[in-house]
């Protein structure tokens, strides 16, 4: 079969590779759409320490079942599905506590093992999700689950005011999740275009911190209390700190962003405010189900979110263009329809 292979950093090309041989618990899928995210860009640039080469990237997937599952009767040939790209070892502390999303030995599709930019993949039946959604929507499920998981970690309810720092692919999922739970949802970014999409995704208020003073604006919107929940989805030291500084007394702070440098804190605030400070990584099955429910209710601006639909034969040059000029791309989705003729 054909696949897009990263031979080494900066070099992606279509190659012929061996097709998958599904194990007894796995289902053979024909890949239809693959979304790209920041981690694929890092892999292309050679900046992801978890990737070795050659590697087939891709972990945001819409696919069609080729052969019905023998163990899961609802997974029949011809059905379109999406999938969870993570593995779980079953033995580490996270797995034993029922939180396999944070498995110590997780191997994400396209990162520690070969991914979905291929004609066919074989995936365990328990990792597949069916839904009443288009291929494009199915392909958006996984990236949205990351923000949904963060909102679940923050125990957000309709009583809460939630401030979300960053409305990129990940933060937008958190905005949609908080909105879906009917919380008052304040989206924070430095980019008006991102904030406009956040408003269509469920935000009730926005703050552009390039133009507006963050603290005064949050105080005004929360009658001087501060938000009940602050979610960081950028990964910068100043927004890591702002989450703790701005959140209400006894509030919850949820970190999704990976900071690329150490962050210095006024730890007095952790104690004085008696904060719950939580990390959030990947997602669990209930997060997948919640995203699917939201998309089925057409509560997310799918068309505004996907900036580029690109056939597989243009994937290599698109990765190069994205790497050279990241600002002009938001979500790139690769269509795999022509792959067998390449
Ligand atoms: N925890 C997880 O499981 C997980 C999964 C995927 C990604 N991540 C991390 O989440 C973070 C966000 O990922 P992404 O793909 O959405 O990134 P992104 O670059 O698409 O989005 C970042 C957003 O932050 C905005 N921004 C930048 N500087 C800002 C500032 N000073 N104030 C306000 N807004 C600012 C940008 O305009 C952009 O909209 C990254 O750190 C990434 O590594 C975590
Ligand atoms: Zn992703
Ligand atoms: Zn584990």
């Amino acid at each position: 079969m054909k696949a897009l292979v990263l031979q080494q950093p900066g070099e992606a090309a279509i190659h012929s590779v061996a097709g998958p041989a599904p194990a007894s618990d796995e289902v053979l899928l024909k890949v239809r759409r693959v979304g790209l995210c920041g981690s694929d860009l890092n892999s292309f640039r050679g900046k992801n320490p978890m990737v070795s080469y050659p590697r087939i990237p891709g972990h945001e997937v819409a696919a069609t079942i080729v052969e019905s599952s023998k163990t899961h009767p609802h997974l029949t040939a011809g059905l379109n599905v999406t999938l969870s790209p993570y593995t779980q070892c079953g033995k580490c502390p996270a797995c034993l506590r029922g939180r396999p999303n944070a498995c110590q030995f997780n191997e994400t599709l396209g990162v520690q093992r070969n991914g979905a930019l291929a004609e066919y993949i074989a995936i365990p039946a328990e990792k597949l999700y069916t839904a009443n959604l288009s291929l494009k929507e199915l392909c958006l499920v996984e990236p949205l689950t990351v923000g949904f998981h963060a909102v679940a970690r923050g125990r957000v309810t309709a009583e809460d005011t939630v401030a979300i720092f960053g409305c990129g692919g990940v933060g937008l999922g958190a905005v949609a999740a908080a909105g879906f739970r009917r919380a008052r949802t304040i989206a924070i970014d430095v980019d008006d275009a991102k904030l406009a999409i956040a408003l269509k995704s469920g935000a009730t208020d926005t703050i552009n911190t390039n133009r507006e003073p963050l603290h005064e604006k949050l105080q005004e919107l929360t009658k001087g209390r501060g938000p009940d929940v602050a979610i960081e989805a950028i990964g910068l030291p100043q927004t890591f700190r702002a989450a703790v500084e701005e959140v209400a007394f006894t509030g919850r702070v949820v970190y999704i962003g990976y900071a690329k440098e150490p962050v210095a804190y006024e730890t007095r605030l952790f104690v004085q405010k008696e904060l719950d400070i939580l990390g959030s990584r990947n997602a669990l099955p209930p997060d997948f189900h919640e995203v699917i429910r939201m998309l089925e209710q057409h509560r997310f601006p799918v068309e505004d979110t996907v900036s580029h639909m690109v056939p597989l034969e243009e994937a290599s040059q698109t990765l190069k263009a994205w790497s050279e000029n990241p600002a002009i791309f938001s979500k790139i989705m690769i269509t795999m329809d022509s792959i067998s003729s390449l």
Side-chain angles (χ1 to χ4, degrees), residues 89-92 95 103-104:
C89 74
K91 295 175 188 144
C92 75
C95 286
C103 174
Q104 197 172 347

Side-chain angles (χ1 to χ4, degrees), residues 3-7 31 34-61 83-87 106-118 120-123 142 319:
L4 187 87
V5 182
L6 291 177
Q7 285 295 349
V31 180
V34 178
L36 301 182
C37 79
S39 77
D40 299 300
L41 182 59
N42 278 336
S43 306
F44 178 75
R45 288 170 162 175
K47 288 198 176 139
N48 187 339
M50 291 179 293
V51 173
S52 59
Y53 302 87
R55 176 67 70 237
I56 301 170
H59 61 273
E60 304 177 358
V61 186
L83 58 86
S84 168
Y86 319 117
T87 59
N106 166 59
E107 294 192 343
T108 301
L109 205 65
V111 182
Q112 294 94 339
R113 58 196 171 110
N114 277 335
L117 277 166
Y120 297 100
I121 50 175
I123 300 289
E142 191 279 335
L319 275 165

Side-chain angles (χ1 to χ4, degrees), residues 64-319:
T64 305
I65 296 176
V66 178
E67 286 167 19
S68 304
S69 163
K70 294 182 188 74
T71 52
H72 293 64
H74 70 291
L75 298 174
T76 53
L79 262 187
N80 293 331
V81 293
T82 188
L83 58 86
S84 168
Y86 319 117
T87 59
Q88 63 218 62
C89 74
K91 295 175 188 144
C92 75
C95 286
L96 291 176
R97 270 195 269 271
R99 288 162 59 184
N101 59 300
C103 174
Q104 197 172 347
F105 305 103
N106 166 59
E107 294 192 343
T108 301
L109 205 65
V111 182
Q112 294 94 339
R113 58 196 171 110
N114 277 335
L117 277 166
E119 224 171 321
Y120 297 100
I121 50 175
I123 300 289
E126 62 172 36
K127 300 284 179 191
L128 301 182
Y129 295 87
T130 58
N132 189 12
L133 296 174
S134 68
L135 289 171
K136 199 180 210 176
E137 290 164 333
L138 283 168
C139 196
L140 275 180
V141 170
E142 191 279 335
L144 288 170
T145 59
V146 177
F148 272 66
H149 186 66
V151 164
R153 290 281 285 151
R155 308 186 299 278
V156 170
T157 72
E159 310 302 312
D160 290 317
T161 297
V162 184
I164 292 150
F165 293 82
C167 302
V170 170
L172 206 57
V175 168
F180 193 55
R181 292 185 179 209
R182 307 205 178 279
R184 177 144 191 214
T185 303
I186 305 169
I188 301 163
D189 207 291
V190 288
D191 181 338
D192 281 327
K194 298 281 171 72
L195 291 172
I197 295 180
L199 276 176
K200 290 189 184 178
S201 307
T204 46
D205 306 270
T206 61
I207 303 175
N208 183 329
T209 47
N210 269 350
R211 287 194 265 101
E212 299 167 288
L214 176 69
H215 177 70
E216 288 72 12
K217 208 59 215 280
L218 279 176
Q219 288 289 305
E220 180 192 317
L221 289 170
T222 59
K223 300 196 173 68
R225 294 161 41 102
D228 305 292
V229 182
I231 299 178
E232 205 280 356
I234 305 169
L236 291 174
Q238 65 264 37
T239 44
F240 258 66
R241 272 191 294 271
V244 162
E245 286 160 6
E246 298 301 337
V247 75
F249 276 66
T250 68
R252 287 93 78 195
V253 174
V254 186
Y255 289 125
I256 325 179
Y258 279 101
K260 291 182 181 61
E261 54 191 297
V263 181
Y265 274 103
E266 186 59 79
T267 61
R268 179 177 48 81
L269 293 173
F270 302 180
V271 181
Q272 226 172 30
K273 292 188 177 180
E274 200 177 24
L275 298 178
D276 285 6
I277 299 179
L278 304 150
S280 182
R281 178 174 161 205
N282 299 345
L284 282 166
D287 306 311
F288 279 81
H289 291 300
E290 201 176 354
V291 171
I292 287 169
R293 271 202 308 281
M294 180 208 55
L295 287 171
E296 284 179 344
Q297 293 174 24
H298 308 290
R299 301 266 289 268
F300 190 77
V302 172
E303 296 306 322
D304 295 298
T305 317
V306 181
S307 64
H308 295 73
M309 295 288 288
V310 176
L312 183 72
E313 51 268 42
E314 289 170 25
S316 173
Q317 67 203 66
T318 304
L319 275 165

